[in-house]
Amino acid sequence: MAGSRFAKIAWLLVAAWVVLYAPMAFEYMSRFLFHGPALWDHVYSGVVGDRQALGLGSIHDVQSPRYQQNLAVMVMHTTVSATAILLAVFQLSARSRRRIVIHRWLGRVQVVCVIVGMLAAMVFLVSVRPSGTFDGAAFNIQLFGLALGTLLGTLLGWVAIRRQQMATHRILMTYAFALLCTAPFLRLGYLVFGLVWPHSTQEVSNLAGAGIEAFLAPTAAVLAARYVAPPRSAVHPVRHLAPAMVNASWVAGIGGAVLLGWLYAAHFSGADRVTVCWAVTALVALTTSARAAGTASSEPARHDWITYRTSVLLGIPLTVVLWGVFGVAFGAVPGFYGALLTGPAISISLGLLLIAASRWRRASQPTDEAMSGVGTALSHG
Ligand code: HEM
């Protein structure tokens, strides 16, 4: 009961910030076309001051020439992605599912918007290359992964509903929404970090926020999965992780953390803010999921939490491996931050896929929605 009240409040807060931010993103590029109102610039500089929001080292300062050179692509990206995220807020609301024909049509528009918005982002990333992306290779790698993840989540979510897999459809569409939300919440992070670290730069706020989001975005999707497709529909115990793998993940996670710390000490002098924020988020994710697994009210719920905790643990050695790979391509320091920004996100996303697969019903089994009549209408769209 308390859990569902918390979920409702969290959803309202997320939806409110998305609805507030989306118009600012929609018109962000208008300043290059007709001296538009620059709403976000005003909000950002109003909260943290002109130096950090618009001065040397800010996105406004560093990226303006690149946005001008790639204006058509970036106008496409910002307007269409802002539309996609607004549509997603409506689509995920209970109200939209009561109007199934509208839900179906807006769903199609949303899929097209996501495809166009993410392809535009990828075109920009390829055209400016890692060195022309804000914060360099590390952010370029994360944004590319985000674009792919958002595209895949949306397309697989669409395939799921075509196959009448309502629970999996909901989980995947919520995942795509969580990834889209990294944009408004990264900007919220700029405001918070700008206030907490007044002498810092947007480059640091951006990397710190992106490092935290590498955990939080897929984690939000895991949490949402527990409400949008509760584990009573978990019908494939065989897809749960084997106990040996769960135990091995502790060894891999702790071993990975020690190795990561040792390699970090060899390459950096003293702890930096981005790495500290990342490590604290990892610890919070681990301790809360271990507690949730221990106090889960049902066996399927316990399995969900164990899957999540295992994915967080395995994200640490994966980060070490990715550092090795990105280090060869981009150098040790950008490679390290690139690994921080992607390792946990990939691993937790795979954990979520496992949770989604556990809700996949065999064709012969009646779905919850077929019983209620809602899913049948949707899936025949
Ligand atoms: C989740 C997938 C997304 C990806 C992969 C992505 C990718 C990108 C890329 C590559 C840039 C240019 C970065 C640079 O300057 O180096 C960018 C900027 C931007 N994106 Fe996205 N984006 C995503 C979601 C969104 C969404 C949902 C919105 C709108 C709500 C949005 C709004 C913007 C805006 C306004 C900018 C301009 C720069 C700024 O505001 O800081 N993006 N995005």
Side-chain angles (χ1 to χ4, degrees):
M1 207 56 176
S4 80
R5 195 173 317 131
F6 171 78
K8 262 185 204 143
I9 294 171
W11 164 249
L12 282 178
L13 290 175
V14 168
W17 175 242
V18 167
V19 170
L20 203 67
Y21 174 71
M24 303 191 224
F26 193 92
E27 70 79 34
Y28 185 90
M29 298 293 158
S30 68
R31 73 192 160 98
F32 299 114
L33 295 166
F34 51 83
H35 300 287
L39 293 170
W40 168 250
D41 283 351
H42 283 105
V43 170
Y44 191 21
S45 63
V47 174
V48 307
D50 283 358
R51 185 196 62 78
Q52 205 176 128
L54 310 174
L56 228 59
S58 64
I59 288 187
H60 184 95
D61 167 54
V62 179
Q63 293 303 87
S64 285
R66 280 159 203 146
Y67 292 159
Q68 260 166 326
Q69 281 155 18
N70 297 275
L71 199 52
V73 164
M74 283 311 285
V75 168
M76 185 94 82
H77 170 66
T78 48
T79 52
V80 165
S81 304
T83 309
I85 203 170
L86 274 179
L87 282 175
V89 169
F90 176 72
Q91 291 293 86
L92 293 176
S93 69
R95 178 175 298 200
S96 112
R97 271 176 275 126
R98 282 198 296 270
R99 297 181 181 148
I100 215 61
V101 177
I102 297 177
H103 181 91
R104 239 190 272 153
W105 276 104
L106 289 184
R108 289 174 185 141
V109 177
Q110 192 195 333
V111 170
V112 172
C113 284
V114 167
I115 295 173
V116 175
M118 295 307 106
L119 287 182
M122 286 196 257
V123 169
F124 176 83
L125 290 169
V126 171
S127 130
V128 301
R129 301 210 289 241
S131 59
T133 309
F134 188 65
D135 263 328
F139 198 40
N140 184 287
I141 297 166
Q142 189 190 50
L143 287 174
F144 218 96
L146 255 178
L148 279 178
T150 311
L151 261 179
L152 268 179
T154 305
L155 293 177
L156 290 177
W158 178 70
V159 170
I161 200 59
R162 300 295 304 175
R163 296 186 170 204
Q164 308 190 19
Q165 299 291 339
M166 177 65 81
T168 310
H169 167 70
R170 286 187 186 165
I171 291 178
L172 290 169
M173 287 307 190
T174 311
Y175 173 69
F177 175 68
L179 296 194
L180 287 172
C181 278
T182 54
F185 281 89
L186 191 63
R187 274 68 180 190
L188 189 62
Y190 295 164
L191 303 182
V192 175
F193 287 130
L195 289 173
V196 178
W197 301 329
H199 303 296
S200 187
T201 61
Q202 192 179 3
E203 278 152 343
V204 176
S205 300
N206 186 58
L207 272 192
I212 293 173
E213 286 194 328
F215 287 96
L216 287 197
T219 297
V222 170
L223 283 172
R226 305 196 37 71
Y227 289 96
V228 298
R232 67 188 149 79
S233 50
V235 289
H236 281 296
V238 74
R239 289 193 184 144
H240 291 138
L241 295 170
M245 186 172 177
V246 173
N247 293 336
S249 72
W250 279 107
V251 179
I254 294 169
V258 172
L259 186 59
L260 193 61
W262 180 71
L263 288 170
Y264 180 83
H267 286 88
F268 294 82
S269 53
D272 67 285
R273 284 174 172 168
V274 176
T275 311
V276 171
C277 286
W278 186 90
V280 170
T281 315
L283 266 178
V284 172
L286 263 182
T287 46
T288 42
S289 58
R291 195 167 172 274
T295 57
S297 54
S298 68
E299 200 50 14
R302 199 173 72 83
H303 277 297
D304 280 359
W305 285 119
I306 289 175
T307 304
Y308 172 71
R309 188 191 64 202
T310 306
S311 69
V312 174
L313 281 167
L314 293 180
I316 302 171
L318 179 61
T319 302
V320 178
V321 173
L322 290 176
W323 185 5
V325 176
F326 298 152
V328 171
F330 305 108
V333 174
F336 169 72
Y337 291 114
L340 287 194
L341 267 52
T342 45
I346 294 174
S347 171
I348 300 171
S349 297
L350 292 176
L352 180 81
L353 265 186
L354 209 62
I355 291 173
S358 77
R359 314 299 207 258
W360 189 280
R361 286 175 180 276
R362 291 184 190 90
S364 57
Q365 287 175 298
T367 62
D368 300 342
E369 295 74 21
M371 284 186 266
S372 68
V374 180
T376 333
L378 234 188
S379 57
H380 288 167

